[in-house]
Structures are given as C-alpha cells and as structure tokens.
Amino acid sequence: LGVLVVDSCGHSIHSAMLSAEVRGYIRGLSTKCGDLARILDLTETLLRGAPGPGDFVTGIFLELSTDNRTLSYIGAGHPPSHIIDQTGHVRAVLHSIAPPLGIGTHKPRPFCSSTVAINPGDLILLNTDGVTEAMSPAGEPFGSDRMLRCITEHRRQNPDQILNCLFDTLADFCQGVSRDDTTAVVIKVDIANPAGTSASEPGWCSRDRSKTA
C-alpha cells in the first residue's frame, strides 16, 4: 500500500496546480519504480525549473508492506506523522529529514528513506500543517497535542469515525473559521482477516479527509 500526502505553499491556483503536478509525477513513477527515494529523486528532476520563486511542495510518502510488517517513508519538509499503538501511546514519530520538493532544484539532491516496524492494532496518522496551525478566535493554535489527544481518545473507532471526530473537534475549536486547507489520513493496521491476507497477517484500513479553506 502506497500513501502520499502533499501540501503546496500558498493558496493560489498555481499552488494547487503544482501539488497536482507533483502527485501526477509520483503516481506515474510509482508504476515503474518501486524505490521511494528514486521516485522522489526523479520527481525533483522533473520539477527542475518549474516552480517559481517561493514555490515549493512539502510531502510525506509511505509504503506499507504486509510481508515484512514494515513502513518505509520519506518526509520532505512535511509536518511529523505519528504511529500510535493499541494502548494510545505514540510509538514513533516520522520526521521529515529532506527539504521540500522544488527548493534548490538546480542541484541534484538524493533522497533517503527510513523504515520502521508496524504491529497489529497500530494507527498511522498523517496530516498537513493546516490541522495543527488552525487558530481559535483568540489566536490559539490547535496544535499537535490537541490533535493527538483527539485521535488517541477515539483510536478504537474505525478510520472514518476517527476523522469525523478530529474534524468536528477542529471546527468547534476554530468556530467554523478555516484559514488554511486541512488534510488528515488515518490508517489502521488490522489482522481481522482483511481481504487478501490470512488471519495472522496485518492488513490495512485507511481513510482520508480534506477541507479547503
């Protein structure tokens, strides 16, 4: 299972087109290449000279393997993602170690993937900064702690329900006023006989939700 979340700088049509361009490159290259780092290397090469001054795209790219029970990822200037275990403990934080795509595209920059183990019952949360940086009317940011508390409190629900709770909490906090696009993805590692796996192998149940400012 491959999962991609990208977020472009700005809110213009050009920014949206740049995000779409990056997604298109990565999706197309993924059908011909199975190496995450190589896919992003090639995407950076294809972007060379395309972004204007100040234009860039952050992103996180995951590949989950049922065979090895591992998650490989590359974060490019994107907010940290989290793996939460069955007890509600944040077991791993997936930090970005590469700069955003589109910055310094005049010079080749090899990417490097990282790999972590995954366990049955784990919950993987990806989000854009529009979630954590959302503001209350008093100017208080929603923040990572509040986001993670909401996710862990509802971790036993299915991904759709978890995301509904997160976005409802976010809307209440902001009193319905959104200044940025918000995207979150929840993936649950499931061993309850998912399609295509045996009862002893992990499978995936995932949902995403976005809201445009």
Side-chain angles (χ1 to χ4, degrees):
L1 175 67
V3 181
L4 171 68
V5 175
V6 297
D7 189 18
S8 59
C9 175
H11 301 92
S12 65
I13 293 176
H14 176 72
S15 298
M17 291 177 65
L18 184 59
S19 287
E21 183 179 6
V22 169
R23 288 197 302 270
Y25 286 150
I26 292 175
R27 285 174 177 169
L29 291 167
S30 296
T31 65
K32 302 181 180 300
C33 176
D35 182 82
L36 298 184
R38 180 61 177 157
I39 289 168
L40 290 190
D41 283 340
L42 291 170
T43 298
E44 183 81 334
T45 299
L46 290 168
L47 279 174
R48 195 169 298 164
D55 291 335
F56 60 86
V57 175
T58 71
I60 183 159
F61 188 14
L62 308 183
E63 185 176 61
L64 299 109
S65 170
T66 56
D67 294 333
N68 315 350
R69 299 192 179 193
T70 57
L71 178 158
S72 298
Y73 71 96
I74 298 177
H78 204 71
S81 299
H82 299 84
I83 300 177
I84 300 165
D85 66 19
Q86 294 185 80
T87 68
H89 175 69
V90 176
R91 188 170 63 77
V93 181
L94 313 182
H95 292 285
S96 288
I97 59 173
L101 292 161
I103 290 182
T105 53
H106 62 284
K107 184 186 299 184
R109 183 185 68 240
F111 288 87
C112 181
S113 64
S114 301
T115 301
V116 296
I118 49 173
N119 301 315
D122 280 350
L123 183 153
I124 303 159
L125 171 67
L126 317 177
N127 63 277
T128 59
D129 60 8
V131 176
T132 53
E133 295 178 3
M135 293 285 185
S136 72
E140 179 187 3
F142 189 69
S144 294
D145 289 346
R146 190 176 276 107
M147 175 186 69
L148 290 171
R149 186 163 59 248
C150 179
I151 295 296
T152 55
E153 285 176 355
H154 299 93
R155 67 186 181 278
R156 293 185 177 87
Q157 297 180 329
N158 67 45
D160 271 332
Q161 293 168 327
I162 294 170
L163 287 172
N164 286 339
C165 291
L166 175 61
F167 276 79
D168 287 346
T169 302
L170 187 63
D172 289 343
F173 181 81
C174 299
Q175 295 188 13
V177 179
S178 178
R179 298 178 178 85
D180 196 2
D181 301 339
T182 52
T183 297
V185 178
V186 167
I187 304 165
K188 296 190 79 171
V189 182
D190 185 15
I191 60 168
N193 269 329
T197 65
S198 72
S200 61
E201 296 175 332
W204 322 111
C205 181
S206 63
R207 291 292 184 272
D208 64 272
R209 182 171 169 184
S210 297
K211 181 178 179 182
T212 303

